[in-house]
Amino acid sequence: MADSWDGSYDHGSQSEESYHFERLHIEPIYDSFICPLTKQVMKDPVSLENGQTFEREAIERWFRECRDSGRKLVCPLTQKELKSIELNPSIALRHTIEEWTARNEAVQLDMARRSLNLSSPESEILQSLQYVQYICQKSRSNKHDVRNNELIPIIVDMLKSSSRRVRCKALETLRVVVEDDDDNKAILGEGDTVRTIVKFLSHEQSKEREQAVSLLYELSKSEALCEKIGSVNGAILILVGMTSSKSENLATVEKADRTLENLEKCENNVRQMAENGRLQPLLNHILEGPLETKLSMASYLGELVLSNDVQVLVARTVGSSLITIMRSGNPQSREASLKALNQISCCEKSARILIEEGILPPLVKDLFTVGANQLPMRLKEVSATILANVVNSGYEFDVIPVGSDHQTLVSEEIVHNLLHLISNTGPGIECKLLQVLVGLTCSQATALNVVAAIKSSGAIISLVQFIEAPQKDLRLASIKLLQNLSPHMGQELADALRGTVGQLGSLIRVVSENLGITEEQAAAVGLLAELPERDLGLTRQMLDDGAFELIFSRVVKIRQGEIRGTRFVTPFLEGLVKVLARVTFVLGDEHDAVSFCREHELARLFIELLQSNGLDNVQMSSAVALENLSQESKNLTKLPDLPTPSLCSSVFPCFSRQPVITGLCRLHRGTCSLKETFCLLEGQGVEKLVALLDHNNEKVVEAALAAVCTLLEDGVDIEQGMKVLCEAEGIPPIIEVLVEKRTENLRRRAVWAMERLLRSEEIAYEVSGDNNVGTALVDAFQHADYRTRQIAERALRHVDKIPNFSGVFPNLGGG
């Protein structure tokens, strides 16, 4: 007997105990089975002319070596020369060996079956699993024997072992058993086995993960099992995660990727992959699949929530295809594509890609088409949503043709059609179309066209009515649109809001909602802030409705920290302050406005708001309000009652003496206070206004300078006003504003202020040596508007730059 029953079996991979365990349970090996050259059991025995038997492959190799070395052809056993090298098959011996091998393998397979028990020693289980691998790799027919002996479920049970080595070997063995054998795959796919294999994907031990993913890869080659693998909760998610993992070895990552590629055969799996971030298979189906698959995938794409980056990828990959599908007359195709386009149009970059791919013309056509080919209203709403998305991308919509005769989205007819739809459809589509107009009015380039079309259609009354809509989204869209329109249609909006219809009250109620600060509240107060500030009727109604009381309380709560930290707090506060400031524009006409300002000490509040660093609009509105309040101070100051002169003093004036009255305002010559007369000399109002004269924002500077100039106006003691400015160190910043010449409005204000200041000989003397001032005044005298040139001329006279007799402008009036 030979030492080995089959030399091709790798004993080196087994322990000595396991090898000895196998040898004790097999039939003896006869010498005639062994090839003298290989010392292994023969598979294809052949005989020479002298009767010696060898393995065919081995004796052929012997003959080649003899020829290559130039030796005679001899028998390797007898070393005698052969007359013929013809090889005669030993058929009977081969059959005998095959029968012997089959009996031995059956015995060993049965032994392995009995050893595959969780109570068996680990070494026996590993040896048995190794043997199963061996016979399956040796012959495909042996895989049938493994199946017929019901070994597959037994090997599956080994996955429950507490030994990691056993579990890994069991996974490896199952992979060998099912490789290229659909019947074995079908058996392994029964029950919960696939779920068990998937669980190994999340094991901490990388070896188990590697074996599990290799086994799943083999199973995924069966189309019947693809759906089963995908149906295991988390399987595709884990596989997708493995393909992007940087901690897995490359072989495992590749197997996971190839497994997913196989799983793409099932549409449900493709959907799961897309849901878990692997979108390319779904996109490939849309690009290359049959029509039914394209529609199915496009429809599912419409249900996904995609990040901005993914939206851009999808738009670039299938945007054109989806638009092509949308153009078709098939209702199902249009619905599927519209839903997908809706999902990928939310991001600015993806929306721009879709615009460039030509999405606008079919969208507009779908919205406006009536008759047999019109979309159902639910799909028109989707079209309107997509249009709202792409319009909010900020593209130049006044140059993209969307209809016949090179019409654009802002052409009068198109806007009229949009307005018509808004007035004759349901809340859902109305909201989206209003959002379209919001997007078109965000840009100065397109806003004016929309404004012109709204004016020509007379639609402003209809648009204002949506302020009272019960649907929050619809109400928000309408308020945002009106806010965008207000700089261009302020008076029309004020006229529409004023009266008994109730929309003004609805706006106030939105602002008053105690829900933190919402986008709707910020938009509502922004709309109110843009209405004409000198519209007395509107301000009167707001006073009567208690609107200013409400606005004041909201400002105070924000300042006290009771309302804080939302993304809309800044625009909300800016709007509130600007609305509150409008009450100061009617002080001369409305005593109630004066009373309101006194009661709530608005002058003090606006002075405090001047220090709202970083909130330019708050500072600007506060300065404007203080200008208005300060201008009214001279009318509100209570002048002292002087005693009637006596007869003696009237006859002999030398005996009369002017009574001395203390406590009077040096500027207004009467009794003043910040609360009652809004006098800026209190509350450090002048100092805080002066501090804004070097602000980076020229509009803030302009508002602050205008308020400061109230100290130098007719009706006040200008000399004292100059002194107040000197004390507040306000003259150098005014000079700086004049010299910088940042805007025409600022130059006009600064020239006016300098002319007043230069009436003081002392100031004129100090300034006369400053060449920058002289140059700035000369420049204004030469290039400014007519009125400013007059004032500049007077200022130049004060510093002797122009002689008094050389006036150019006749009949100059007072300042």
Side-chain angles (χ1 to χ4, degrees), residues 627-628 630-632 634 667-669 706-719 721 749 752 756 759 815:
E627 177 193 4
N628 295 336
S630 181
Q631 284 178 332
E632 193 62 21
K634 57 181 176 285
L667 189 65
H668 301 111
R669 308 184 190 92
V708 166
C709 285
T710 61
L711 306 180
L712 304 174
E713 288 182 339
D714 295 336
V716 302
D717 191 324
I718 297 177
E719 185 177 344
R749 290 279 188 188
W752 184 91
R756 292 284 167 138
R759 293 179 185 183

Side-chain angles (χ1 to χ4, degrees), residues 2 38 150 161 263 362 368 397 413 436 442 459 556 631 681:
T38 65
E150 299 182 348
S161 171
L263 295 180
F368 296 158
F397 295 102
E413 183 180 351
V436 170
C442 283
V556 170
Q631 284 178 332
L681 299 193

Side-chain angles (χ1 to χ4, degrees), residues 573-634:
L573 178 59
E574 289 175 344
L576 289 174
V577 174
K578 190 170 182 181
V579 173
L580 190 60
R582 74 174 294 125
V583 77
T584 66
F585 283 86
V586 298
L587 296 174
D589 302 300
E590 284 290 340
H591 182 71
D592 287 349
V594 175
S595 299
F596 176 83
C597 293
R598 285 172 168 169
E599 180 181 350
H600 295 86
E601 296 192 61
L602 283 200
R604 188 177 303 280
L605 173 64
F606 285 125
I607 289 174
E608 292 171 357
L609 289 170
L610 291 176
Q611 294 179 298
S612 302
N613 296 328
L615 300 176
D616 293 7
N617 290 334
V618 170
Q619 293 175 311
M620 181 172 60
S621 296
S622 300
V624 168
L626 289 170
E627 177 193 4
N628 295 336
L629 290 166
S630 181
Q631 284 178 332
E632 193 62 21
S633 294
K634 57 181 176 285

